[in-house]
Amino acid sequence: MRRARRSHLGALALTVLAAVAVGCGVGGDEGGTGARAINWYAFNEPGGSYDMAVQNCNEQANGRYTINYVKLPNIADQQRELLVRRLAAEDDSIDLASLDVIWTAEFAEAEWILPWEGDRREAATEGKLEGPVETVDYQGKVWAIPHTSNTQLLWYRKDRVDAPPDDFTWDEMIDDAVEKGTAVEVQSAQYEGLVVWINAMITSAGGQIVNEQGDVEVNDTAKTAAEIEKKLATSAAAPPGMSTANEDAGRLGFESGRSDYMVNYPYIYPAAAEVGEDFQKSIGWARYPRSVPDRPSAPPLGGFNIAVSAYSNNPDLAFEAAECLASPENQALSAELGGLPPTSESVYDDPKVRKSYPFADELRESIDNAGPRPVTPAYSDISLAIQKTYHPPESVDPNTVVEQLRDRIEKAVDGKIF
Amino acid sequence: MEAATTKAPAAAPPRKKQRMTDRAKAERKLAWLLCAPAVIAMLIVTGYPIAYAFYLSLQKFDLRFPDEKEFVGFANYGDVLTSSTWWNDVGTTLIITVISVSVELVLGMLIALVMHRAIFGRGPVRATILIPYGIVTVVAAFAWRYAFDPTSGFVFGLPLVPDTWQPLTTKEGSLFVIILAEIWKTTPFMALLLLAGLALVPDELHEAAKVDGASTVQRFFRITLPLMKPAILVALLFRTLDAFRIFDNIFIIQPGGALGTESVSILGYNVLINRVNLGLGSAISILIFICVILIAVLFVKGLGTSTAQQRGET
């Protein structure tokens, strides 16, 4: 009797499993199932500009297609995991995916996304800034349409420190902060943000981690980055909790008044208005600091591009929908409501955008001079290797860092463990 | 009749040299039939994934480079076992396992004694103690992370806690918080298993010992503990197996296993899910599986843990 009941339970368990499996397959509100439904997987833009863009495009499409905005987590690593898992399983419920600028090579190499060819290529890149256009390029083909861009500026307190000169270096900034008894906010937790910082210091010193041919090229500039990182981490200007600091921790620290300098994305500016108008007015901005005195900085480049999935059932409509979502009008919405810098040149002259971005020109200049992160299909492996090598900040050894990084990256590229 | 015995089905080898009656044979057959659905279900949900993971672990297989897929034998295992990363992570995992399980055993025993002896409000006491175990691990982990957050953690506002102490910014501190979260979360489970063991100790023995003049401490160490040994070992086995596979707490408290808090499960996750390297990742999964089996064998063979004893079927 007892055994009989167990086998019933077994059968029941199987039934439940089957039901769950089916449930996962055709999730209720995960996307539309109509023939003309275009499912767009993108991060949950808190300002609501993506929702409005979807609405605009659906109205313009006049029934030819209907975009469903499927919201992904806000953390880039989590978005990537979700997309990679689904695309590797050839999931046809994704038509459009918003890809962080660093994923292009990986997704293109795996043939998870479709190239933009002919007229489409033209449509994707026309009137766009050069930096963002480079991020959709992999081996001579265009793999996505640049949608939003991003870059970091140096933010400082006008009421407490002097305006930084054009050739302001990390060294000078740290020294000044130590002298004034204040902190410098950076992103130095073990995550992609650390890679952004380290890579920016390396490119600002004239180096790169992977060259144009896709080969690993770690040189002394990796040491320069480690020296700056260690100097800050072991100085009095290190912010509390530096080894777990992300963008928001830095923003909160800056808002609390403990620091007079911060490198961060422009979203902190609208956020500062919520602290108080006076506080927002006390914030100044400048170009990203230099790694070496005689070389202009190469600031970080971020942002999102929209790609068409190779497993989409409606690729033609998907291309059309992507073009609409990334149109200058919708970019202006994202800039205004979401604090996401545009990729189209013309949007920078939009009076509304200029009003919410008093630093629009500096932003554009920063994007134009940005130093991209490595373009390679093994990007996520290389990113993990950089994170492990440069973390925790105070224990980095500038004398061995070049060797360590080269070793880890080579293992990463070979698909080995590190 | 002798011939019939030798023809007994291979699936049910005769353990004793006793002849099976027809009825016994029929019952055995029925038993197998009745078990079959459960066995098949087990094979599908556990046997197949393990076999498939083993098959994957013998290949070079990265989802991003499907063209480079090839059979490489045990090369992935060689890669893992010769890397310092793996052994560091095994070390970290063992530190977490040993400390958390030992503390849980002591605390769990104390709580079990309280629950056992509670005279009034037995139900509410037990329910209260079980609350941490009822909370989703990820939610609990977030609560601990925010409690110790360098900018907003409330812990630093408490008396006796130095303001400059920032556990989540160092390896030792992070391990401390992770172990603390683990202990807080699973001590009730330990206590529950131990409570079941306590219930097995007959009161007569205690009374007899009392009459003989044994003190409370003596009775605990001479009567309660020896009789509870099977229950303790089972509780330790379950918790050790669980703790060795620790994932959620680390994943939330130090995302990505930062600051050297990477456990073997986090490593497996990073390789499998983040790097989508199915070959190497599966090798790590199989190695974790082997470690878990080794722990179980150590407990069962080495220390004589037996679930039969626990059920009182010796």
Side-chain angles (χ1 to χ4, degrees):
Chain A
M1 201 46 220
R2 209 161 148 200
R3 285 189 177 172
R5 187 175 290 167
R6 281 203 187 155
S7 73
H8 278 309
L9 277 179
L12 185 71
L14 263 186
T15 321
V16 171
L17 272 176
V20 169
V22 170
C24 289
V26 281
D29 53 334
E30 282 198 351
T33 43
R36 293 173 186 284
I38 298 293
N39 295 322
W40 176 36
Y41 282 65
F43 85 98
N44 184 7
E45 201 283 282
S49 69
Y50 284 12
D51 290 296
M52 289 171 73
V54 166
Q55 216 179 335
N56 289 347
C57 290
N58 286 344
E59 273 165 24
Q60 283 169 30
N62 214 355
R64 271 181 305 121
Y65 59 76
T66 312
I67 303 171
N68 295 304
Y69 170 24
V70 184
K71 292 172 181 173
L72 295 178
N74 277 343
I75 298 169
D77 294 343
Q78 291 176 6
Q79 294 163 29
R80 178 184 158 273
E81 268 171 34
L82 201 140
L83 289 172
V84 163
R85 266 204 305 258
R86 285 189 173 237
L87 289 170
E90 306 189 2
D91 180 357
D92 65 0
S93 72
I94 299 181
D95 297 292
L96 293 175
S98 271
L99 306 185
D100 197 311
V101 291
I102 50 187
W103 303 336
T104 310
E106 178 181 18
F107 282 58
E109 179 74 30
E111 294 174 1
W112 290 332
I113 51 177
L114 297 175
W116 293 58
E117 286 165 324
D119 289 349
R120 281 180 185 145
R121 183 187 172 116
E122 185 65 25
T125 55
E126 201 182 10
K128 299 276 166 74
L129 299 179
E130 203 179 315
V133 167
E134 274 169 29
T135 67
V136 296
D137 182 287
Y138 178 63
Q139 296 190 336
K141 282 188 186 171
V142 166
W143 294 91
I145 182 167
H147 182 202
T148 60
S149 187
N150 223 335
T151 189
Q152 293 197 351
L153 296 177
L154 169 60
W155 309 92
Y156 63 96
R157 291 286 296 268
K158 283 191 284 196
D159 51 343
R160 297 196 196 163
V161 294
D162 302 330
D166 283 345
D167 59 353
F168 201 46
T169 62
W170 280 98
D171 271 337
E172 288 164 356
M173 177 163 70
I174 297 167
D175 291 342
D176 188 52
V178 170
E179 199 179 301
K180 296 207 165 71
T182 174
V184 177
E185 305 286 351
V186 293
Q187 291 83 51
S188 45
Q190 186 178 330
Y191 77 123
E192 187 58 35
L194 175 67
V195 181
V196 170
W197 182 36
I198 298 297
N199 187 69
M201 290 195 289
I202 291 178
T203 52
S204 295
Q208 53 189 354
I209 291 167
V210 172
N211 66 18
E212 279 80 26
Q213 285 75 48
D215 299 322
V216 180
E217 199 182 84
V218 179
N219 58 27
D220 264 0
T221 52
K223 186 181 174 186
T224 310
E227 280 165 352
I228 298 169
E229 182 188 27
K230 180 149 189 143
K231 175 172 177 176
L232 176 60
T234 54
S235 77
M242 182 172 167
S243 60
T244 53
N246 58 15
E247 288 87 356
D248 257 1
R251 172 178 68 83
L252 291 171
F254 192 68
E255 287 174 0
S256 76
R258 74 178 180 201
S259 44
D260 294 347
Y261 292 110
M262 164 169 74
V263 287
N264 212 330
Y265 296 102
Y267 84 101
I268 65 106
Y269 191 74
E274 285 166 30
V275 177
E277 211 179 314
D278 289 347
F279 175 70
Q280 196 189 31
K281 278 188 182 148
S282 75
I283 299 179
W285 49 84
R287 171 102 169 241
Y288 202 78
R290 296 179 176 203
S291 295
V292 286
D294 52 355
R295 201 185 170 91
S297 67
L301 181 63
F304 280 89
N305 307 314
I306 304 178
V308 176
S309 160
Y311 307 107
S312 164
N313 292 322
N314 292 308
D316 290 334
L317 289 176
F319 278 113
E320 208 181 310
E323 261 179 59
C324 175
L325 288 170
S327 69
E329 296 75 48
N330 289 329
Q331 284 184 35
L333 275 177
S334 294
E336 212 184 319
L337 300 172
L340 301 168
T343 51
S344 286
E345 273 183 277
S346 59
V347 187
Y348 284 85
D349 301 326
D350 185 319
K352 268 194 198 157
V353 172
R354 292 194 75 86
K355 200 181 160 220
S356 39
Y357 284 136
F359 40 82
D361 292 329
E362 286 83 354
L363 210 56
R364 211 185 131 171
E365 186 204 315
S366 184
I367 291 172
D368 284 341
N369 292 288
R373 279 168 277 170
V375 177
T376 157
Y379 181 79
S380 55
D381 308 61
I382 290 183
S383 167
L384 275 180
I386 298 172
Q387 292 173 33
K388 284 199 168 183
T389 308
Y390 284 91
H391 198 268
E394 69 276 9
S395 333
V396 172
D397 181 357
N399 294 318
T400 57
V401 77
V402 175
E403 207 47 50
Q404 269 180 7
L405 184 62
R406 196 178 287 147
D407 178 57
R408 283 215 175 96
I409 289 184
E410 274 161 13
K411 281 183 178 153
V413 173
D414 287 350
K416 294 226 164 60
I417 202 164
F418 53 85
Chain B
M1 279 306 268
E2 285 218 12
T5 331
T6 48
K7 267 189 218 158
R15 292 219 184 115
K16 292 168 190 166
K17 279 241 163 186
Q18 243 173 5
R19 273 184 304 164
M20 238 186 220
T21 63
D22 283 349
R23 182 176 167 173
K25 267 196 280 178
E27 274 184 359
R28 183 155 287 197
K29 199 176 160 196
L30 180 67
W32 275 106
L33 271 177
L34 292 174
C35 281
V39 171
I40 292 170
M42 284 294 281
L43 281 180
I44 293 173
V45 299
T46 59
Y48 171 72
I50 293 172
Y52 186 56
F54 180 68
Y55 166 73
L56 284 176
S57 72
L58 301 179
Q59 302 182 45
K60 180 179 176 170
F61 186 13
D62 189 317
L63 278 181
R64 291 164 299 177
F65 314 106
D67 301 342
E68 293 174 17
K69 187 174 166 180
E70 59 175 331
F71 186 81
V72 292
F74 286 88
N76 286 330
Y77 291 91
D79 271 351
V80 177
L81 292 175
T82 54
S83 74
S84 58
T85 309
W86 163 259
W87 294 110
N88 280 339
D89 292 357
V90 169
T92 310
T93 312
L94 285 177
I95 290 173
I96 296 174
T97 307
V98 170
I99 299 182
S100 62
V101 174
S102 342
V103 176
E104 278 167 28
L105 178 65
V106 176
L107 284 181
M109 183 61 96
L110 291 174
I111 293 173
L113 287 170
V114 169
M115 288 199 283
H116 190 58
R117 292 276 159 239
I119 294 171
F120 54 84
R122 203 175 255 223
V125 167
R126 291 189 181 178
T128 316
I129 287 171
L130 274 174
I131 286 175
Y133 196 61
I135 295 176
V136 179
T137 315
V138 171
V139 175
F142 266 114
W144 285 104
R145 182 174 124 191
Y146 289 133
F148 284 94
D149 187 89
T151 35
S152 57
F154 74 84
V155 171
F156 310 111
L158 298 177
L160 296 179
V161 179
D163 289 350
T164 49
W165 185 54
Q166 293 290 349
L168 287 186
T169 61
T170 63
K171 177 180 177 173
E172 294 72 24
S174 304
L175 285 177
F176 169 78
V177 176
I178 288 165
I179 291 172
L180 188 67
E182 186 76 0
I183 291 172
W184 179 83
K185 166 92 183 118
T186 48
T187 300
F189 176 69
M190 188 70 123
L192 206 63
L193 289 179
L194 294 177
L195 180 64
L198 268 180
L200 285 178
V201 181
D203 278 342
E204 298 85 47
L205 287 179
H206 277 289
E207 279 156 23
K210 227 188 251 176
V211 172
D212 290 342
S215 69
T216 317
V217 177
Q218 274 174 330
R219 274 184 283 133
F220 178 75
F221 283 103
R222 302 261 168 128
I223 297 175
T224 313
L225 270 191
L227 283 174
M228 276 183 71
K229 189 188 158 207
I232 293 175
L233 286 177
V234 167
L236 280 181
L237 171 64
F238 283 0
R239 273 303 304 141
T240 310
L241 292 184
D242 252 9
F244 189 79
R245 291 176 293 117
I246 181 169
F247 181 82
D248 333 31
N249 271 328
I250 303 179
F251 190 74
I252 301 298
I253 293 172
Q254 271 306 354
L259 286 173
T261 58
E262 190 173 84
S263 72
V264 285
S265 296
I266 296 273
L267 175 69
Y269 173 88
N270 279 343
V271 176
L272 261 180
I273 307 292
N274 196 325
R275 297 176 63 192
V276 286
N277 192 330
L278 296 191
L280 200 61
S282 299
I284 294 172
S285 300
I286 294 287
L287 285 171
I288 296 173
F289 181 58
I290 292 173
C291 290
V292 165
I293 290 181
L294 283 179
I295 293 173
V297 167
L298 191 79
F299 268 94
V300 174
K301 297 280 178 202
L303 298 171
T305 315
S306 148
T307 43
Q309 268 180 321
Q310 159 80 353
R311 289 199 302 263
E313 289 171 13
T314 23

